[in-house]
């Protein structure tokens, strides 16, 4: 391939919204370098797979997509397959053997090297660890700038990443090993990116990081906290909704609760992964919280923020989890009535302390526990949907689903992970409308638009 040739590039983005932001930046870098982006695999000269490597199931999916890309290389137009993202950092030493035929791998901390990997003819391995400067503060650490993205979300909604990495010591988690220690973007950088997204049409910003509540703790001057940053974002013209995602219970401060309650554009929505409620399991997980602390926090959130929607996730089958401890978790979930809840079976990830713990729970027991929690939550969610009948709600219109129905979300529904609203008549994508809930379908609502 000649260097000045316009390469057709297919990029497949897997995993979480943080990975999606990386994919959007990658596409922008490739487009600015003269590539034609957005091609399907069958029509691409180069296929890029931005992988997830967080859990075994995610790695399996990543390897399946890589295998599909390699089939296109062997039988079709594609000449190169480049693998990027978390799986590279997780399995760099084995990746070329796991999927023979890969031409280049680019780690999460070397995102800017992707254009060279796409154009280069030989094999490239680019994966460096994050190196923090000496002393306190992260102004000069290796933190990617997310400005100038080629967005993959609908124009009216966007993700705003405020930090990277994680420094918590949860015994089950591989994120610190994959993405490095926690480091915040400077507030002026975050605000500049927010303004850029708003200028590009975003009316909803979903604030993300590995842990958004730790924001600013590594910055050494001025008032730099999540609450302060949200109040600055709340001042920006052109926005309607700001939603805070990926919070951490130990870091959830009173000032943050007050900020969510008081700011006009910050929606009453709290994404608070708890992982468990039994004190012995929380200790083994290294969560740094207790059941009492969690219950106190949840009580404060519901008391201070009227109409708040609270989403959480739990892990069942953690090593040593007894029937009694699981029952404690199940009864807690039934009693609290979370607005949205996800549950995962514990995955023993190589290199984590939890993978080596004694009393690993059998897979069939994990599966039964996942099913029990999800069945309980389904009953809670379906009943809550029925109780919403007759309520007036504001809805952001997302588009038309494959069945031809107009769909949108209310403030308590985050994109891609929560339920949706089906509207009784079409509306313009990206607009806010008011309607009345007239029914429900499972986790979703049916909304009649006011005439």
């Amino acid at each position: 391939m000649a260097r000045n040739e316009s390469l057709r590039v297919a990029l497949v983005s897997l995993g979480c919204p943080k990975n999606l932001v990386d994919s959007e930046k990658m596409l922008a870098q490739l487009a600015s370098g003269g590539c034609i982006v957005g091609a399907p695999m069958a029509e691409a000269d180069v296929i890029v797979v931005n992988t997830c490597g967080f859990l075994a199931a995610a790695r399996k999916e990543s390897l399946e997509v890589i295998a599909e890309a390699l089939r296109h290389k062997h039988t079709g137009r594609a000449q190169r397959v480049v693998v990027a993202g978390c799986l590279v950092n997780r399995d760099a030493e084995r990746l070329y053997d796991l999927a023979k035929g890969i031409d280049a791998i680019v780690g999460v901390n070397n995102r800017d090297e992707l254009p060279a990997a796409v154009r280069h003819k030989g094999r490239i391995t680019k994966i460096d660890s994050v190196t923090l400067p000496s002393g306190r503060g992260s102004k000069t650490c290796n933190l990617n700038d997310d400005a100038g993205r080629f967005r993959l979300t609908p124009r009216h909604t966007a993700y705003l990443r405020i930090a990277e990495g994680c420094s918590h010591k949860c015994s089950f988690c591989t994120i610190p090993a994959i993405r490095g220690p926690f480091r915040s973007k400077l507030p002026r950088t975050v605000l500049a990116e927010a303004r850029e997204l708003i200028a590009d049409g975003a009316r909803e910003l979903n604030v993300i990081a590995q842990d958004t509540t730790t924001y600013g703790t590594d910055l050494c001057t001025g008032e730099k906290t999540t609450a302060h940053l949200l109040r600055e974002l709340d001042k920006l013209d052109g926005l309607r909704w700001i939603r805070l995602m990926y919070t951490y219970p130990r870091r959830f401060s009173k000032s943050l609760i007050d900020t969510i309650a008081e700011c006009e554009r910050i929606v009453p929505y709290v994404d608070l992964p708890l992982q468990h409620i039994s004190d012995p399991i929380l200790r083994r997980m290294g969560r740094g919280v207790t059941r009492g602390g969690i219950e106190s926090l949840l009580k404060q959130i519901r008391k201070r923020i009227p109409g708040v929607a609270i989403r959480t996730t739990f892990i069942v089958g953690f090593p040593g989890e007894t029937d009694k401890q699981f029952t404690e978790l199940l009864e807690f979930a039934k009693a609290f009535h979370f607005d949205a809840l996800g549950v995962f079976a514990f995955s023993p990830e190589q290199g984590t302390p939890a993978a080596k713990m004694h009393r690993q729970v059998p897979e069939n027991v994990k599966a039964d526990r996942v099913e029990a929690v999800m069945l309980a939550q389904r009953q809670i969610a379906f009943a809550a949907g029925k109780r919403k009948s007759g309520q007036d709600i504001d809805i952001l219109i997302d588009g038309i689903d494959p069945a031809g129905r107009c769909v949108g979300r209310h403030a308590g529904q985050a994109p891609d992970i929560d339920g949706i609203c089906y509207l009784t008549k079409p509306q313009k994508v990206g607009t806010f409308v008011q309607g009345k809930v007239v029914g429900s379908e499972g986790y979703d609502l049916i909304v009649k638009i006011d005439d």
Side-chain angles (χ1 to χ4, degrees), residues 231 234 255 257-266 304:
R231 289 186 183 275
D234 189 61
S255 64
I257 296 174
D258 290 340
T259 296
I260 297 172
E262 295 167 3
C263 287
E264 177 183 359
R265 295 179 175 88
I266 301 174
R304 182 72 176 91

Side-chain angles (χ1 to χ4, degrees), residues 306-368:
V308 66
I310 303 179
R311 153 173 281 280
T312 195
T313 55
F314 290 123
I315 297 173
V316 298
F318 192 81
E321 183 188 59
T322 63
D323 289 341
K324 182 179 179 180
Q325 289 164 344
F326 168 71
T327 300
E328 180 183 359
L329 170 63
L330 180 61
E331 293 305 314
F332 172 75
K334 289 179 179 179
F336 187 77
H337 285 206
F338 289 94
D339 299 272
L341 185 153
V343 59
F344 298 92
F346 169 74
S347 176
E349 297 301 313
Q350 184 178 358
T352 62
K356 301 176 182 178
M357 288 181 178
H358 299 299
R359 295 187 293 152
Q360 296 284 332
V361 176
E363 293 299 322
N364 65 314
V365 175
K366 294 181 192 177
D368 289 344

Side-chain angles (χ1 to χ4, degrees), residues 194-270:
R195 292 188 185 98
E196 179 185 88
L197 293 168
I198 295 168
D200 190 43
R203 302 198 67 194
E204 172 190 54
L205 291 181
N206 296 286
V207 179
I208 61 172
Q210 303 301 331
D211 167 16
T212 53
T213 47
T214 296
Y215 176 80
T217 57
D218 56 331
L219 300 177
C220 53
T221 58
E223 187 179 3
K224 310 285 196 307
T225 65
T226 310
H228 181 263
L229 180 65
L230 288 177
R231 289 186 183 275
E232 292 300 306
L233 289 169
D234 189 61
K235 298 175 184 177
L236 299 180
D237 292 332
L239 275 179
R240 178 75 175 269
W241 286 352
I242 301 169
R243 183 179 291 102
L244 185 66
M245 308 292 293
Y246 302 104
T247 66
Y248 194 87
R250 184 160 57 95
R251 293 282 190 180
F252 213 111
S253 65
K254 180 181 181 301
S255 64
L256 182 55
I257 296 174
D258 290 340
T259 296
I260 297 172
E262 295 167 3
C263 287
E264 177 183 359
R265 295 179 175 88
I266 301 174
V267 298
Y269 182 99
V270 171

Side-chain angles (χ1 to χ4, degrees), residues 64-379:
E64 288 172 351
V65 175
I66 292 169
E68 181 184 359
L70 291 171
R71 285 194 294 272
H72 282 283
K73 176 184 171 183
H74 295 144
T75 63
R77 171 173 177 154
Q79 300 175 47
R80 285 180 69 75
V81 171
V82 179
V83 178
C86 293
L87 184 64
V88 171
N89 287 62
R90 191 83 173 90
D91 289 313
E93 295 180 359
R94 301 191 302 141
L95 195 51
Y96 284 123
D97 292 327
L98 288 171
K100 296 185 183 299
I102 294 173
D103 297 285
I105 62 174
V106 178
V108 294
N109 302 309
N110 301 94
R111 189 180 65 189
D112 294 345
E113 303 290 338
L114 184 70
V118 164
R119 289 204 173 271
H120 190 76
K121 290 189 176 181
R123 176 180 283 190
I124 290 179
T125 301
K126 195 67 177 178
I127 173 170
D128 297 326
S129 60
V130 175
T131 301
L132 290 175
S134 60
R136 192 167 182 266
S138 66
K139 291 184 179 180
T140 58
C141 73
N142 184 9
L143 180 56
N144 292 322
D145 180 357
D146 296 323
R149 287 144 52 187
F150 187 104
R151 288 206 285 126
L152 297 171
T153 59
R155 190 179 180 198
H156 59 271
T157 184
Y159 292 105
L160 179 65
R161 178 162 51 187
I162 63 174
E164 179 59 287
C166 185
S167 295
H168 292 303
K169 304 297 183 183
C170 299
S171 62
F172 55 85
C173 186
T174 59
I175 291 298
I178 292 173
R179 289 193 171 261
F182 185 88
R183 55 248 192 241
S184 304
K185 289 181 181 175
L186 291 172
R188 64 173 178 265
T189 301
V190 176
L191 293 171
E193 290 181 17
R195 292 188 185 98
E196 179 185 88
L197 293 168
I198 295 168
D200 190 43
R203 302 198 67 194
E204 172 190 54
L205 291 181
N206 296 286
V207 179
I208 61 172
Q210 303 301 331
D211 167 16
T212 53
T213 47
T214 296
Y215 176 80
T217 57
D218 56 331
L219 300 177
C220 53
T221 58
E223 187 179 3
K224 310 285 196 307
T225 65
T226 310
H228 181 263
L229 180 65
L230 288 177
R231 289 186 183 275
E232 292 300 306
L233 289 169
D234 189 61
K235 298 175 184 177
L236 299 180
D237 292 332
L239 275 179
R240 178 75 175 269
W241 286 352
I242 301 169
R243 183 179 291 102
L244 185 66
M245 308 292 293
Y246 302 104
T247 66
Y248 194 87
R250 184 160 57 95
R251 293 282 190 180
F252 213 111
S253 65
K254 180 181 181 301
S255 64
L256 182 55
I257 296 174
D258 290 340
T259 296
I260 297 172
E262 295 167 3
C263 287
E264 177 183 359
R265 295 179 175 88
I266 301 174
V267 298
Y269 182 99
V270 171
D271 173 37
L272 186 68
L274 297 175
Q275 311 306 6
H276 217 279
I277 199 62
S278 170
D279 282 336
I281 299 298
L282 289 169
R283 282 194 298 271
R284 288 166 68 84
M285 286 181 167
R287 295 290 287 169
V289 290
T290 63
R291 173 170 183 157
I294 289 171
E295 290 180 322
S296 176
L297 174 61
L298 292 172
K299 183 179 179 180
Q300 291 177 58
I301 290 172
R302 277 201 169 158
K303 181 179 180 181
R304 182 72 176 91
I305 308 173
V308 66
I310 303 179
R311 153 173 281 280
T312 195
T313 55
F314 290 123
I315 297 173
V316 298
F318 192 81
E321 183 188 59
T322 63
D323 289 341
K324 182 179 179 180
Q325 289 164 344
F326 168 71
T327 300
E328 180 183 359
L329 170 63
L330 180 61
E331 293 305 314
F332 172 75
K334 289 179 179 179
F336 187 77
H337 285 206
F338 289 94
D339 299 272
L341 185 153
V343 59
F344 298 92
F346 169 74
S347 176
E349 297 301 313
Q350 184 178 358
T352 62
K356 301 176 182 178
M357 288 181 178
H358 299 299
R359 295 187 293 152
Q360 296 284 332
V361 176
E363 293 299 322
N364 65 314
V365 175
K366 294 181 192 177
D368 289 344
R369 291 177 180 180
V370 168
E371 184 178 3
V373 176
M374 290 313 300
L375 177 61
Q377 180 60 24
R378 183 173 65 183
Q379 294 171 341

Side-chain angles (χ1 to χ4, degrees), residues 358-407:
H358 299 299
R359 295 187 293 152
Q360 296 284 332
V361 176
E363 293 299 322
N364 65 314
V365 175
K366 294 181 192 177
D368 289 344
R369 291 177 180 180
V370 168
E371 184 178 3
V373 176
M374 290 313 300
L375 177 61
Q377 180 60 24
R378 183 173 65 183
Q379 294 171 341
I380 291 167
F382 287 9
K386 289 182 172 63
R387 287 196 300 271
K388 285 185 171 65
S389 185
Q391 291 184 13
D392 293 322
I393 56 176
D394 291 329
I395 301 168
L396 174 57
I397 306 302
D398 281 331
I400 304 297
D401 75 356
R405 303 173 74 179
C406 183
V407 297

